[in-house]
Amino acid sequence: MTNYIKNGNTFIVTPDSAIDIRKKLPVGNYLVKFNPISGEYYLEEMSDFILPEKFYGNICDRSDRIINTFNSRTESTGVLMVGEKGSGKSLLAKKISVALAQEGVSTIVVNGALHGEIFNSFIASIDEPAVVLFDEFEKVYNKEEQEAMLTLLDGVFTGKRLFLLTANDKWGIDKNMNNRPGRLFYNLDYKGLEEDAILEYCNERLNDKNEIKSILRLAKINGKFNFDMLQAMVEEMNRYNETAKEVLDMLNVSFGNQEYSYKILAEKDGRVYRETSHYGDIFNGEIDIFLQWNEKAEDVREGYWGHSESVILYPSNLSDINDDKYTYTYLSEEGVKVTFTRRGYASSLYTSAWV
């Protein structure tokens, strides 16, 4: 039998076998697509998310909390997850999606910079609770396009949505999304894999348990240690019976961190240099720092900076690490003891001799 579907002032001729009208969207994952000819948005079925057999760290706790909050609120709920790739934010989003699918809630995936009134109306037209996932949000949407999304996140349109936004760079997120729980109720900052997750994984998977301390130390130094790095290190250490330090000679894993600023205290043979600052990486390659001191009290006068010298430090000069105070001590070839104390994120990447 032939059917005639009216759309505006046009009719589409289609057989019965091509028509499958549902009163409710079948539970599943869908990708938002756009038809440039008709100017309409539509949904395309996607495959289900595949989850690992076991989760490490606080993923399950966070997933349960976000789902409980979403279910207990009458309005839409937004969640921003920011951090390095492999830190667990995308896995958390998938975990939430799979769990809510078991409750009859579908997931709508947006992987293009879709925005505007027509797009908002389309999302609002899905008249049932749904997860709306924006992966790598700040890469897909520029600042102007992000501003256009505020209306949707504000909940002006009807419908109960759980908006999940993942991002790698927190500075790429529009400032109007920060400190606005009405738009984004939760803001999760992934600075690196949690110590509990590292311990749990190593105790279960690492052959040489004596190396766990070394991995934890490297994770603290890096500041952005993710699950991909942990998994690769443990796999390689088990395969070749090597230490954490030894496998780093071959693995595609770097432990430099270029986002921190440090206070520098240096001394040599009783001479204490003036306190200086360093911005950037202190764990990869050489560090060239400029130290200054005064020979006598009268040297400290206007227009005179005293004596100075340049000191070059190498990774092999690292002699001590204090995990609790985030201090890293180097001993140069010339006998200069230099202690770096982490004190926050650097606003720019350069080395300065003056405070």
Side-chain angles (χ1 to χ4, degrees):
M1 179 177 178
T2 299
N3 295 276
Y4 302 90
I5 301 175
K6 185 177 181 180
N7 184 4
N9 61 352
T10 63
F11 285 87
I12 299 175
V13 181
T14 182
D16 277 343
S17 59
I19 298 177
D20 184 3
I21 298 175
R22 308 289 182 92
K23 295 295 185 182
K24 180 178 174 59
L25 184 67
V27 178
N29 295 338
Y30 299 89
L31 180 65
V32 180
K33 306 282 283 188
F34 180 73
N35 186 335
I37 297 176
S38 65
E40 296 176 327
Y41 289 97
Y42 62 96
L43 298 177
E44 183 177 276
E45 286 184 300
M46 295 176 55
S47 57
D48 295 334
F49 292 130
I50 299 176
L51 298 178
E53 295 181 358
K54 182 173 181 178
F55 296 93
Y56 297 91
N58 58 11
I59 287 181
C60 292
D61 290 338
R62 285 185 167 181
S63 173
D64 291 344
R65 178 166 180 155
I66 291 170
I67 291 173
N68 180 67
T69 299
F70 169 67
N71 287 333
S72 64
R73 303 181 80 215
T74 57
E75 63 270 35
S76 293
T77 301
V79 181
L80 175 62
M81 296 166 279
V82 183
E84 290 290 304
K85 287 186 176 182
S87 58
K89 58 187 187 299
S90 294
L91 184 59
L92 173 60
K94 292 177 181 179
K95 175 74 170 64
I96 293 170
S97 171
V98 171
L100 280 175
Q102 296 175 355
E103 300 180 15
V105 179
S106 293
T107 293
I108 312 299
V109 178
V110 182
N111 67 353
L114 308 179
H115 63 280
E117 292 184 11
I118 298 177
F119 172 72
N120 292 346
S121 297
F122 173 74
I123 295 298
S125 69
I126 303 172
D127 57 352
E128 55 191 76
V131 176
V132 182
L133 173 60
F134 299 86
D135 199 21
E136 297 191 328
F137 181 74
E138 90 288 12
K139 288 187 177 180
V140 176
Y141 290 85
N142 61 35
K143 289 296 181 67
E144 184 176 330
E145 292 165 341
Q146 288 183 34
E147 289 184 6
M149 294 294 295
L150 298 180
T151 303
L152 180 65
L153 297 175
D154 277 336
V156 173
F157 292 85
T158 58
K160 183 179 172 68
R161 306 282 178 264
L162 176 58
F163 295 108
L164 301 179
L165 287 68
T166 72
N168 299 325
D169 180 14
K170 64 181 178 181
W171 305 113
I173 301 297
D174 186 271
K175 63 180 180 180
N176 294 306
M177 295 187 183
N178 294 323
N179 296 317
R180 295 295 298 271
R183 289 173 177 159
L184 296 171
F185 195 78
Y186 289 124
N187 188 339
L188 308 181
D189 190 0
Y190 287 78
K191 292 189 172 75
L193 200 59
E194 301 90 353
E195 183 173 312
D196 289 346
I198 298 174
L199 283 171
E200 185 179 0
Y201 186 85
C202 289
N203 280 320
E204 183 177 304
R205 304 289 186 96
L206 184 62
N207 292 340
D208 185 0
K209 301 298 188 290
N210 293 323
E211 280 296 302
I212 294 179
K213 184 176 180 180
S214 296
I215 294 178
L216 289 173
R217 175 168 289 180
L218 288 169
K220 284 192 175 184
I221 289 176
N222 180 264
K224 296 181 179 180
F225 191 63
N226 60 46
F227 186 76
D228 289 347
M229 298 165 73
L230 173 63
Q231 190 176 37
M233 287 185 65
V234 170
E235 178 185 331
E236 194 77 348
M237 291 167 70
N238 288 343
R239 180 182 294 118
Y240 295 107
N241 194 28
E242 291 181 334
T243 66
K245 184 177 180 181
E246 287 172 332
V247 299
L248 291 181
D249 291 336
M250 294 287 290
L251 281 177
N252 181 25
V253 175
S254 171
F255 278 88
N257 192 311
Q258 296 186 337
E259 287 195 1
Y260 291 112
S261 65
Y262 300 88
K263 177 179 69 175
I264 298 177
L265 294 177
E267 59 181 303
K268 175 185 178 182
D269 299 331
R271 175 199 297 158
V272 178
Y273 297 87
R274 284 189 179 182
E275 180 180 315
T276 60
S277 299
H278 180 84
Y279 299 82
D281 190 355
I282 66 170
F283 301 107
N284 280 324
E286 64 181 42
I287 316 166
D288 191 356
I289 59 176
F290 194 64
L291 301 175
Q292 184 267 333
W293 77 96
N294 296 302
E295 292 285 3
K296 46 192 175 183
E298 54 266 30
D299 282 343
V300 184
R301 59 183 182 271
E302 185 178 355
Y304 183 70
W305 292 101
H307 307 274
S308 61
E309 68 178 274
S310 178
V311 176
I312 298 179
L313 304 172
Y314 301 93
S316 58
N317 297 139
L318 183 61
S319 60
D320 184 65
I321 297 174
N322 187 315
D323 294 329
D324 297 324
K325 296 183 178 180
Y326 295 103
T327 60
Y328 313 98
T329 302
Y330 286 78
L331 185 62
S332 75
E333 305 295 338
E334 300 80 16
V336 181
K337 180 182 178 182
V338 183
T339 300
F340 296 84
T341 301
R342 186 197 300 179
R343 59 183 180 186
Y345 286 99
S347 57
S348 58
L349 302 181
Y350 62 90
T351 302
S352 172
W354 319 114
V355 181

